[in-house]
Amino acid sequence: KAGVTQTPRYLIKTRGQQVTLSCSPISGHRSVSWYQQTPGQGLQFLFEYFSETQRNKGNFPGRFSGRQFSNSRSEMNVSTLELGDSALYLCASSRDSYEQYFGPGTRLTVT
Amino acid sequence: LAKTTQPISMDSYEGQEVNITCSHNNIATNDYITWYQQFPSQGPRFIIQGYKTKVTNEVASLFIPADRKSSTLSLPRVSLSDTAVYYCLVGVSGTYKYIFGTGTRLKVLA
């Protein structure tokens, strides 16, 4: 069974630009969650989607947004990038939001 | 809302049992605890999950005392390949919100 895939794996952007990251969940999983991981703040919850609906979000500014498509694939977007947005962005999928399986992450560097 | 803390690091020797504790205040009755293992440049890998008392699977055990203010991941007979960072995660029931612990860096020595 294929795992969670995230694209791209690495990304370098300039301050002020925007970026879109993609996540393909495990087949049959309808819940997708996004997390930001940094050395200083650790792993922080961004938002969770289920059947194309955002069910909750963490304490991040509105520059961080996401969406989920009918095939459960999800994207997250960060607009007006700041240096502090440099991080590993992880996506996790699950059938019912309990047992989450993580992808390898997208390493975003903002210069 | 639950706040979770873990010891920053631990060292152990091969073949020993390792216990890593996560402290979480204010968790509700139906909030569940999950433990993950993370290697460098990889996403966290699911280890075990539970709500209360004790859960055991083929790789670990999870102990949650009655007051639910902490949980302990127990790894029996660790090997060098268990060197990784271990995170606890509190799933806040009914809110679809998740709170990771601060992570414990486990180093297994030969």
Side-chain angles (χ1 to χ4, degrees), chain B residues 14 37 39 45 77-84 86 106 108:
Chain B
E14 277 191 295
Q37 175 193 56
F39 297 110
R45 185 176 73 93
R77 298 179 299 282
V78 294
S79 63
L80 294 176
S81 62
D82 292 320
T83 294
Y86 292 81
L106 172 66
V108 180

Side-chain angles (χ1 to χ4, degrees), chain A:
Chain A
K1 195 173 188 182
V4 177
T5 58
Q6 293 187 245
T7 56
R9 292 292 313 278
Y10 303 92
L11 204 50
I12 300 175
K13 289 286 188 177
T14 304
R15 270 181 302 176
Q17 289 185 316
Q18 75 162 8
V19 67
T20 299
L21 312 182
S22 181
C23 171
S24 292
I26 292 171
S27 178
H29 287 191
R30 295 166 66 189
S31 169
V32 173
S33 299
W34 288 89
Y35 298 84
Q36 181 196 63
Q37 185 172 28
T38 60
Q41 299 298 318
L43 280 151
Q44 293 185 286
F45 169 71
L46 279 157
F47 25 67
E48 192 262 3
Y49 287 88
F50 185 89
S51 292
E52 302 180 66
T53 300
Q54 184 184 91
R55 295 198 292 191
N56 210 335
K57 61 181 296 186
N59 297 323
F60 279 83
R63 300 185 296 106
F64 291 81
S65 63
R67 59 178 176 168
Q68 187 181 34
F69 302 95
S70 59
N71 61 359
S72 294
R73 191 178 68 85
S74 178
E75 289 181 346
M76 69 162 280
N77 182 278
V78 187
S79 62
T80 320
L81 284 165
E82 301 176 359
L83 294 179
D85 296 333
S86 293
L88 180 67
Y89 289 90
L90 292 157
C91 129
S93 78
S94 66
R95 289 189 185 280
D96 51 12
S97 79
Y98 289 100
E99 195 168 315
Q100 298 185 55
Y101 293 87
F102 284 80
T106 294
R107 173 76 61 186
L108 171 65
T109 302
V110 182
T111 62

Side-chain angles (χ1 to χ4, degrees), chain B residues 38-73:
Chain B
Q38 187 178 30
F39 297 110
S41 301
Q42 294 186 23
R45 185 176 73 93
F46 176 91
I47 301 174
I48 196 166
Q49 184 179 84
Y51 287 84
K52 55 186 177 181
T53 61
K54 179 182 175 181
V55 178
T56 298
N57 62 20
E58 61 276 9
V59 298
S61 294
L62 172 59
F63 302 92
I64 303 174
D67 67 8
R68 305 185 82 238
K69 291 186 177 180
S70 66
S71 61
T72 299
L73 171 71

